[in-house]
Amino acid sequence: MDFGYDARTQELREQLTAFMDEFVYPAEAVFEQQLSEQDDPWSPPPVLEDLKKEARKRGLWNFFLPGEHGAGLTNLQYAPLAEITGRSPHLAPAALNCAAPDTGNMEVLAMFGNEQQRKQWLEPLLDGEIRSAFAMTEPDVASSDARNIATRIERDGSDYVINGSKWFISGAMNPRCQIFIVMGKTDPSGEPHRQQSMILVPRDTPGMDIKRGMHVFGYTDGDHGGHAEIEFTDVRVPAENLIGEEGGGFAVAQARLGPGRIHHCMRLIGMAERAIELMCKRTVSRTAFGKPIAQQGVVQDWIAESRVRVEQLRLLVLKTAWLMDTVGNQGAHTEIQAIKIATPLSVEWIIDKAIQAHGAGGVSQDTPLAGLWAHARTLRLADGPDEVHKRSMARRELAKHLS
Ligand SMILES: Cc1cc2nc3c(=O)[nH]c(=O)nc-3n(C[C@H](O)[C@H](O)[C@H](O)COP(=O)(O)OP(=O)(O)OC[C@H]3O[C@@H](n4cnc5c(N)ncnc54)[C@H](O)[C@@H]3O)c2cc1C
């Protein structure tokens, strides 16, 4: 077993670290400033487009996508790079065209889209010209159980007609978000896992009303293009907009979520590393009760415990990436669920300790910690709540012991 990074990964890590130092970290303050000054709080400020140009010029682009359409990296090669981008999650993933939900949507189009759909939507997404959204969750039903999704997608001649409500649709508040992958029922009386389909809906299709942006712990999440509530009323799109086959929506959703979950976990590890770094720097430089705060046993316990947790998480994430490369996403199912349960919870704990070690400054706008914490906390809900993953893992574990 070799725990080292291969030569290509090492080379890209160095290039990416240089890009982060030279461009991304200095842009963080500019980003906050621009966001506070612009009229639209829901969209990324212009500094992001500058970063995208620079990243692309340096070949730091589309690392997330294995195969012919992406940069040709394996998941194992991408993991340490995604970790580095996680150190500045508001800017770096999007600067490299590796941000959710576009990554998952590009994967869907690459895997299930037909030639026309790939040309019309995948190509501009790969070029970073447009953004996209994935619309599954609904305000009126418990959406952690995808069988509940109630939006109707009904065939009418050569079109499909969509009616329903969605919310927390990431990216949708950003006018650059031009295409929506919408999940809904084409056959409500069919077998439970064959009722749903996925369909492409271009922005501004008549009947599509982007009602409001949802706040997340008070943040607009403008870096992600916000999270929108959307009403679909008799939204009509051509039948060719269906992705894959009718009734195949559940399978597409499953295929989409595997890589998305591991990407979140990779970035969370970078967020944890940044939090540990900030915690150490702050506590060695501030004195209370006659000695640096870093000399307090309880603080050393937080620091040591944080390091232990990050090392454990990274190993499991790398093993999962390696399994995805070698036995496929389905073969890595258990590990994908394990990291999705373990990583947000543990990283949330680490960031919480870094906040505590900073005192009041930790919850302020003067460090990235409050934003990192809010982001980590949401990842215990987004892409499936912890409890749902645990339920499924426990059932598979128990099945081994049922005769
Ligand atoms: C920041 C953010 C971004 C998001 N982005 C998107 C997006 O782009 N597109 C999209 O479609 N959705 C998005 N979501 C929505 C997210 O995927 C859902 O919130 C999630 O799937 C849970 O669905 P729900 O909110 O309807 O919760 P519900 O299904 O109502 O569940 C509520 C709670 O019930 C508990 N629960 C449910 N089932 C079980 C069980 N079997 N055992 C024990 N407890 C259980 C869990 O604690 C769960 O949190 C986003 C959410 C957030 C917070």
Side-chain angles (χ1 to χ4, degrees), residues 71 188 198 225 230 241 252 277 292 294 300 319 365 403:
M198 298 265 187
I230 307 175
N241 284 24
V252 175
E277 204 173 284
Q300 294 192 352
K319 178 191 171 193
Q365 70 275 41
S403 49

Side-chain angles (χ1 to χ4, degrees), residues 27 66 78 92 120 135 138 156 225 258 269 305 313 318 332 343 354 394:
Y78 176 51
Q120 193 172 1
E138 302 184 355
D156 182 27
I269 291 171
E305 181 65 29
L313 293 172
L318 290 174
T343 314

Side-chain angles (χ1 to χ4, degrees), residues 277-286 293 357-362:
E277 204 173 284
L278 290 168
M279 175 157 54
C280 292
K281 283 186 175 152
R282 175 79 167 194
T283 54
V284 292
S285 69
R286 249 166 115 91
I293 292 172
H358 275 72

Side-chain angles (χ1 to χ4, degrees), residues 101 134-138 141-145 167-171 216 221 227 378 380-385 387-388 391:
F134 180 73
M136 181 170 126
T137 304
E138 302 184 355
V141 295
S143 304
S144 51
D145 181 351
W167 76 346
F168 279 93
I169 307 312
S170 302
V216 176
D221 280 0
H227 312 280
T378 64
R380 293 181 52 207
L381 293 164
D383 284 1
E387 296 75 19
V388 174
R391 170 181 177 268

Side-chain angles (χ1 to χ4, degrees), residues 173-187:
M173 299 298 290
N174 179 357
R176 291 176 69 96
C177 173
Q178 287 296 312
I179 188 70
F180 293 69
I181 298 179
V182 179
M183 183 159 166
K185 276 190 179 152
T186 34
D187 181 11

